């Protein structure tokens, strides 16, 4: 699974940890949720389906072979 590393100052990290705790999430789960929410919010129009759902959230139907 792909991983990203993000650097924070001690003060920023304390803010992230406090926010994660206030949402009842681990820091890692909270960071994932925040990044994905922003990615979905800012997705380019060509990466969205007509319903507005980012295409990355739409499961593709398996292709039939033969």
């Amino acid at each position: 699974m792909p991983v990203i590393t993000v650097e924070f100052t001690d003060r920023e990290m304390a803010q992230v940890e406090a926010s994660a705790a206030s949402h009842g999430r681990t820091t890692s789960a909270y960071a994932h949720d925040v990044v994905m929410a922003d990615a979905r919010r800012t997705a380019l129009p060509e990466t969205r389906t007509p319903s507005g759902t980012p295409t990355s959230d739409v499961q593709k139907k398996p292709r039939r072979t033969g």
Side-chain angles (χ1 to χ4, degrees):
M1 183 177 308
V3 176
I4 62 171
T5 301
V6 181
E7 294 182 15
F8 295 100
T9 65
D10 290 340
R11 185 176 189 165
E12 290 169 335
M13 191 65 195
Q15 290 175 319
V16 171
E17 290 170 338
S19 189
S22 74
H23 286 89
R25 308 283 289 158
T26 64
T27 303
S28 181
Y30 176 73
H32 175 272
D33 294 349
V34 169
V35 169
M36 290 308 303
D38 192 62
R40 288 182 186 106
R41 183 183 61 78
T42 62
L44 297 173
E46 62 269 17
T47 63
R48 293 184 169 272
T49 64
S51 67
T53 304
T55 55
S56 61
D57 288 354
V58 177
Q59 292 192 357
K60 295 182 177 152
K61 294 180 182 176
R63 294 181 115 180
R64 291 186 175 196
T65 56

